[in-house]
Amino acid sequence: PGQTGELFHELTVESLMRVMRDFDASRYSTGVIRQHAERFDTTVFERELNAYIDQAVKIKRKPHP
């Protein structure tokens, strides 16, 4: 909250309306939001998924005593 978004704890219209009513865009840095969002970029996802798969394959191929 206050960095990359806001949370509302109850899944109700009223709770969402409360958060939206109190929302203040000036509390946010577009740079911080962009940096956070880039963690979920498809390129990053594919790179991390491939690294995970490569590691899993190495473990699977490792001879067991």
Side-chain angles (χ1 to χ4, degrees), residues 5 7 16-17 21-22 28-29 32-34 43 50 53 56 65:
L7 300 175
L16 177 59
M17 287 174 55
R21 181 188 62 234
D22 298 336
Y28 294 89
S29 162
V32 170
I33 293 171
R34 175 175 290 283
T43 304
N50 285 329
I53 292 169

Side-chain angles (χ1 to χ4, degrees), residues 16-62:
L16 177 59
M17 287 174 55
R18 195 174 317 116
V19 169
M20 296 302 293
R21 181 188 62 234
D22 298 336
F23 181 78
D24 179 4
S26 69
R27 294 177 50 202
Y28 294 89
S29 162
T30 55
V32 170
I33 293 171
R34 175 175 290 283
Q35 185 178 21
H36 181 72
E38 286 172 352
R39 294 175 44 211
F40 304 99
D41 182 74
T42 43
T43 304
V44 174
F45 175 79
E46 288 173 2
R47 182 178 62 235
E48 291 182 7
L49 180 60
N50 285 329
Y52 177 82
I53 292 169
D54 289 344
Q55 185 64 27
V57 168
K58 286 177 187 175
I59 291 171
K60 182 69 175 169
R61 290 183 178 165
K62 194 175 195 179

Side-chain angles (χ1 to χ4, degrees), residues 4-20:
T4 59
E6 295 295 327
L7 300 175
F8 58 103
H9 300 286
E10 300 168 9
L11 297 178
T12 64
V13 171
E14 293 79 15
S15 181
L16 177 59
M17 287 174 55
R18 195 174 317 116
V19 169
M20 296 302 293

